[in-house]
Amino acid sequence: MAHAVRALWPLGRALAWRLGDRPALGLHAQSRAGFTGAAGGSGPAATARKGGPRLLGAAALALGGALGLYHTARWHLRTQDLRAERSATQLSLSSHLQLTLYQYKTCPFCSKVRAFLDFHALPYQVVEVNPVRRAEIKFSSYRKVPIVMAQEGESLQQLNDSSVIISALKTYLVSGQPLADIITYYPPMKAVNDQGKEVTEFCNKYWLMLDEKEAQRMYGGKEARTEEMKWRQWADDWLVHLISPNVYRTPAEALASFDYIVKEGNFGTVEGAMAKYMGAAAMYFISKRLKRRHHLRDDVREDLYEAANKWVAAVGKDRPFMGGQKPNLADLAVYGVLRVMEGLEAFDDLMRHTHIQPWYLRVEKAIAEAPQ
Ligand SMILES: N[C@@H](CCC(=O)N[C@@H](CS)C(=O)NCC(=O)O)C(=O)O
């Protein structure tokens, strides 16, 4: 059962943390690995109560930016001549890709990727992975989901990690560079987490590999690019950590959450029944531990509401989305993470007690209206 529970989102991730799997990256891990870094709890909500992680987060962001700039420059010099020829074909790029998404439907990282693919009208096939046996991803040495397999002509690429998948595909859509080249700019890095365990992270994962012209066209200025990176990282490093403590807050909520996970997921009948009751019980207790680990309040809803309102304040009143007239990658990431709570009490509470609903519905609509 422990194995079943470990592989399941949100429970699987929670148990991964419990088992010391989480890349809670200290300075040591970051300097060893030199990656953009998921500095634990470095988002605005966390930094209100924690000064150190804020500095780490800023340092990680700056480091990622510097690495990204370096890679962008290197790549720009190499491909300058090809660029002009490619621009004419960019519109049809998405039709050159055949994508397969390996996922757990209720995993927030997978939901982020789907939000991205749907908004960009990129067709894809879904393989729902059985969280107990994970046979569907046996081919992969990277053992988490989401994974995207991307076939571009003769070339088949495996993209790991939600943020890498999104950054690589967005770079592809904007620049037209071959995906095989793009993914070399997001190399995996081994790091050591705060429990001394080796974990895999990815360099530059919030950075798009664009030349100056493309970046200008896409963002209009440096601030918009930095803002998008910052809030994408916040969604991964802070917002995601609020999900489990909120959806497993009480025994009844834990049971409802598992009911939903089992219904949506790829479980055998016995596995499903076991996961529902044993998983709900396990997660109810584990979520208390997560609450302490992430320094959440006694009433974890308070943290969720605060995060949502911070996000709404960051979007502001003068634009429908953080991306302006259309969602950017941060809008899609925050939406994707929150969406996994739909249908649960935590989601209804969130809509009722914060100002996030109008923005949330706008993103939902923008995705629904994407040309199919
Ligand atoms: N940083 C990764 C995290 C992915 C992740 O933790 N996925 C979980 C499911 S939500 C998983 O596959 N867990 C299985 C395991 O850890 O063994 C991403 O953004 O994609």
Side-chain angles (χ1 to χ4, degrees), residues 70-134:
Y70 164 72
H71 284 303
T72 303
R74 191 162 70 100
W75 166 73
H76 179 66
L77 288 172
R78 268 192 17 219
T79 59
Q80 225 167 9
D81 299 339
L82 295 172
R83 184 54 44 79
E85 292 164 36
R86 285 211 184 98
S87 58
T89 60
Q90 279 178 17
L91 276 179
S92 63
L93 275 174
S94 58
S95 63
H96 293 157
L97 273 189
Q98 283 181 300
L99 303 175
T100 306
L101 169 66
Y102 292 82
Q103 68 157 14
Y104 304 147
K105 187 172 177 200
T106 52
C107 151
F109 301 104
C110 303
S111 172
K112 261 170 53 184
V113 171
R114 288 197 311 277
F116 169 83
L117 296 173
D118 292 339
F119 178 69
H120 291 85
L122 287 168
Y124 57 99
Q125 295 200 316
V126 170
V127 176
E128 189 68 26
V129 174
N130 177 299
V132 182
R133 280 164 276 133
R134 289 189 285 171

Side-chain angles (χ1 to χ4, degrees), residues 163-174:
S163 294
V164 171
I165 293 167
I166 290 167
S167 293
L169 289 176
K170 184 71 185 186
T171 297
Y172 175 79
L173 290 178
V174 175

